[in-house]
Amino acid sequence: MNELISVDNQKDKEDGSFMLTTVGVRQATAFTYFMRFLPFHEGLTKKELYGDVSSNKEFNQVQDYYMTSSVNAAIELAYRTAGAEYKTHYKGVYVMSILDESKFKGKLEVGDTIVSLDGHSFKSSEEFIDYVKSKKVGEEIDVVVNRNGSEKKVSAPLMKMDTDKKAGLGISLVNDTTITTTIPVDVNTEEIGGPSAGLMFSLEIYTQLKGINLRDGRQIAGTGTISPDGTVGRIGGIDKKVVAADKEGATIFFAPDDEIDPAIKKKYPELKTNYEEAKAAAKKIGTKMKIVPVKTFQDAVDYLEK
């Protein structure tokens, strides 16, 4: 990953590396359909893969958002931990999905960033939601969105939301933010999507900012989402990532040590934590790679320093 990230216009030239792990997805054919029965392969339906979105374009939009947010969170965490200056900027509300019964269906698109409602801008999604809830069901609302760099205005009546019976646009949303830094940082994500590289991004950025070498010549792989507060989150396909890391010669693999809600564990007793899944995969392939559980970014730093 050293070649993907530069801080202060400099590449990391120290020995060893932080390694990204990713899972490949491809459409099944008459031949590849049966590969799902092989170890560390999996077959998914279109619905299971796409979730609430309905097309390749929408799926890729969501994955791009997750990656961008992951990079921003990694930068914020690394810069704050290293004591370097940064600023976050709220851009608006990012549209993640649109209900079929929403009056904005066909007017809004997954990937739009809503920048104002009725001419009012907001500082957070909470303010946005409060404003919408103050309106009446059926009341028309003007929405300005940023779509691919251009602003567009659309209008439609608000619908009644099943969750609280309040007025709503009929969309799922998240904050759309960006970050600027005094010391320049560049992260080239190429065609990688999703949030699972957050932990490894933050480690690489942090070591470059501090001018230290936590790797000590080692090949260190890992996975996990990252929050600005340093929490490492659960991801999917970790067993496959363990196999990939082993094949690439990693000697250490950081796995999210997530906690499963007791209610969920009761309903799905076979469900394992990411760390448990990673350990099981490592045992199955007989690797000597060390599987290290981490709950936070600092856990990973402390392990490498010791």
Side-chain angles (χ1 to χ4, degrees):
M1 187 170 60
N2 311 36
E3 68 278 6
L4 298 180
I5 297 175
S6 64
V7 175
D8 204 11
N9 300 312
Q10 300 292 320
K11 296 287 187 179
D12 188 350
K13 298 179 181 179
E14 298 289 346
D15 291 337
S17 64
F18 290 120
M19 305 168 69
L20 294 180
T21 54
T22 186
V23 174
V25 179
R26 58 181 173 178
Q27 187 171 352
T29 65
F31 173 73
T32 60
Y33 174 82
F34 295 99
M35 292 179 66
R36 67 194 181 104
F37 298 109
L38 297 174
F40 305 108
H41 289 71
E42 189 174 352
L44 297 173
T45 65
K46 186 176 180 179
K47 176 63 177 175
E48 288 171 333
L49 177 63
Y50 282 177
D52 293 332
V53 300
S54 57
S55 67
N56 281 332
K57 179 183 177 182
E58 290 185 351
F59 178 78
N60 290 332
Q61 289 273 21
V62 171
Q63 294 304 307
D64 287 345
Y65 170 81
Y66 284 142
M67 172 54 74
T68 300
S69 295
S70 177
V71 169
N72 287 343
I75 292 172
E76 181 177 352
L77 172 62
Y79 272 64
R80 186 176 67 253
T81 306
E85 294 184 3
Y86 70 93
K87 288 184 178 180
T88 58
H89 309 273
Y90 179 75
K91 295 165 60 179
V93 163
Y94 189 91
V95 179
M96 297 291 282
S97 65
I98 307 168
L99 296 176
D100 288 335
E101 58 270 31
S102 170
K103 301 300 182 182
F104 283 94
K105 188 76 172 180
K107 296 186 176 184
L108 293 177
E109 295 182 3
V110 172
D112 284 347
T113 295
I114 299 177
V115 297
S116 70
L117 299 175
D118 294 334
H120 302 286
S121 58
F122 306 92
K123 296 181 179 179
S124 69
S125 59
E126 289 77 18
E127 286 188 10
F128 175 95
I129 293 170
D130 287 343
Y131 180 82
V132 174
K133 286 184 176 180
S134 71
K135 299 293 183 178
K136 295 179 181 179
V137 174
E139 185 175 350
E140 188 164 286
I141 191 169
D142 296 329
V143 179
V144 175
V145 303
N146 186 304
R147 182 180 300 165
N148 300 322
S150 299
E151 289 196 351
K152 178 182 178 66
K153 181 179 178 181
V154 297
S155 302
L158 296 170
M159 64 175 288
K160 181 187 289 186
M161 303 301 294
D162 290 337
T163 51
D164 56 11
K165 309 306 179 185
K166 298 284 188 179
L169 278 73
I171 64 173
S172 63
L173 53 88
V174 289
N175 285 333
D176 190 4
T177 60
T178 187
I179 188 168
T180 57
T181 60
T182 301
I183 301 173
V185 56
D186 180 66
V187 181
N188 179 14
T189 58
E190 296 181 332
E191 296 183 359
I192 306 170
S196 64
L199 170 62
M200 304 311 289
F201 280 148
S202 60
L203 285 169
E204 177 64 37
I205 296 168
Y206 174 73
T207 57
Q208 290 193 42
L209 273 174
K210 294 290 288 184
I212 58 177
N213 183 12
L214 291 176
R215 296 185 300 272
D216 195 25
R218 296 169 290 188
Q219 304 300 315
I220 302 161
T223 189
T225 66
I226 200 71
S227 298
D229 66 0
T231 301
V232 178
R234 182 183 180 90
I235 55 88
I238 195 169
D239 56 336
K240 302 163 189 63
K241 295 180 178 182
V242 167
V243 175
D246 178 61
K247 287 183 178 179
E248 291 300 317
T251 57
I252 295 171
F253 186 96
F254 288 124
D257 190 15
D258 56 306
E259 296 181 5
I260 300 176
D261 185 278
I264 296 177
K265 185 68 175 177
K266 185 177 181 180
K267 187 174 182 179
Y268 304 100
E270 74 285 355
L271 187 63
K272 297 179 180 179
T273 67
N274 266 179
Y275 174 60
E276 291 170 336
E277 290 177 319
K279 286 281 287 184
K283 182 178 180 180
K284 189 171 184 177
I285 63 176
T287 180
K288 295 181 180 179
M289 182 172 60
K290 176 72 173 177
I291 308 297
V292 180
V294 289
K295 291 184 180 295
T296 67
F297 167 77
Q298 194 61 48
D299 288 345
V301 172
D302 290 344
Y303 179 86
L304 295 175
E305 287 180 338
K306 292 176 182 177

